[in-house]
Amino acid sequence: MEMTAKSLSPFGLWRMRLTDIFTSSRQQELERELAETRTRLELQKKHTERFRQRYDALDRRCAALDNEIDGLRSRLYVEAQRANAFKEAAQAIFASAAVEPKQIYEVLSPFLDSNGFHLFHAAQELTGFRLSEQFPYEDSRGWFELADNLTQMRYLEAFLFKTAEWEAIPGTACKKANLREVDKSTPAYREFERQLYPKVLERLGLQVCLPVNRQS
């Protein structure tokens, strides 16, 4: 090799050294790129493993939810069967007895209307009452968004039977309502109940419980 180097012209020797330098530089660059690629590959493997673990966890969660849904479907079916049986029994009992619609509702409401939803909405249908129109101050404060149906029923009755006392809000033109108890022994209130409870039973699908002369 030494003989070959000595036999080269100065230009040839310079060219050979340049080639060695370029080859060495290129090799270093390739080794650096290879190291960077290996690093990226390892990071990608770690990411892939994390995604796989998350996928496995989600897959297990989905399987658990499927089992939970199946259990809920079974429970819902059983409860629906019980409700139907209960409704049929109630219809048979009340249709054969001279029981007032209000009494029927009071017996069944803990099971079929515990939050008073059907009671309040039947009253709305009967009276055309709207909380936002009759109690704008309370509505603007968002009170009715948090109130349950039984509380809303108190406002309806207070307005209908004029037992709300209006209190001026200082610095505004607004008035808020202070509710007093409604006298439920008056003829007007009894007439309200007479019309209301058949509507509630109809909403609950229990119109067959009504006396024949009250069924539509």
Side-chain angles (χ1 to χ4, degrees):
M1 186 69 174
E2 185 180 353
M3 295 281 297
T4 304
K6 287 181 179 181
S7 64
L8 290 174
S9 65
F11 176 78
L13 184 60
W14 175 81
R15 183 179 178 182
M16 186 180 71
R17 288 179 178 174
L18 232 123
T19 301
D20 290 343
I21 291 170
F22 175 78
T23 301
S24 175
S25 175
R26 181 60 180 158
Q27 183 178 357
Q28 291 176 1
E29 183 180 343
L30 289 173
E31 287 176 352
R32 185 170 58 254
E33 289 180 2
L34 178 60
E36 290 174 354
T37 302
R38 284 175 176 167
T39 301
R40 288 197 299 271
L41 179 59
E42 290 302 318
L43 288 173
Q44 190 60 46
K45 284 181 179 179
K46 291 178 180 179
H47 286 315
T48 302
E49 179 62 19
R50 282 199 293 268
F51 282 128
R52 187 189 66 77
Q53 291 174 356
R54 290 177 61 188
Y55 173 82
D56 290 344
L58 288 172
D59 189 50
R60 289 192 297 271
R61 178 60 178 159
C62 287
L65 287 174
D66 283 339
N67 292 334
E68 187 176 343
I69 289 171
D70 289 340
L72 289 173
R73 283 199 185 108
S74 299
R75 289 172 56 191
L76 181 61
Y77 176 78
V78 171
E79 292 302 323
Q81 295 298 311
R82 288 177 179 173
N84 288 335
F86 179 78
K87 185 179 290 188
E88 289 172 4
Q91 290 170 349
I93 292 169
F94 292 124
S96 62
V99 183
E100 288 297 314
K102 179 182 178 181
Q103 293 174 295
I104 297 173
Y105 176 79
E106 288 175 344
V107 170
L108 299 181
S109 60
F111 309 99
L112 302 179
D113 194 31
S114 59
N115 62 0
F117 176 85
H118 293 287
L119 178 66
F120 175 67
H121 286 279
Q124 274 195 316
E125 292 171 8
L126 177 64
T127 62
F129 175 84
R130 292 294 178 269
L131 286 169
S132 58
E133 295 174 5
Q134 310 304 341
F135 297 93
Y137 174 75
E138 288 78 0
D139 183 63
S140 69
R141 305 282 291 181
W143 290 4
F144 298 132
E145 295 177 9
L146 302 175
D148 58 31
N149 291 286
L150 297 176
T151 299
Q152 294 180 50
M153 187 69 181
R154 288 189 62 227
Y155 276 89
L156 183 151
E157 291 182 344
F159 180 82
L160 194 62
F161 296 100
K162 302 183 179 0
T163 60
E165 293 181 344
W166 301 98
E167 178 185 343
I169 306 299
T172 73
C174 299
K175 293 182 179 181
K176 71 175 181 178
N178 296 317
L179 307 186
R180 292 186 290 109
E181 289 297 320
V182 173
D183 184 355
K184 298 183 179 182
S185 65
T186 63
Y189 191 87
R190 289 200 298 270
E191 177 60 21
F192 169 66
E193 287 186 326
R194 189 187 68 79
Q195 297 180 46
L196 171 63
Y197 286 99
K199 277 189 168 293
V200 183
L201 295 182
E202 287 174 9
R203 286 181 61 94
L204 293 170
L206 294 171
Q207 56 267 35
V208 295
C209 292
L210 296 170
V212 175
N213 64 341
R214 292 194 180 181
Q215 294 184 30
S216 55

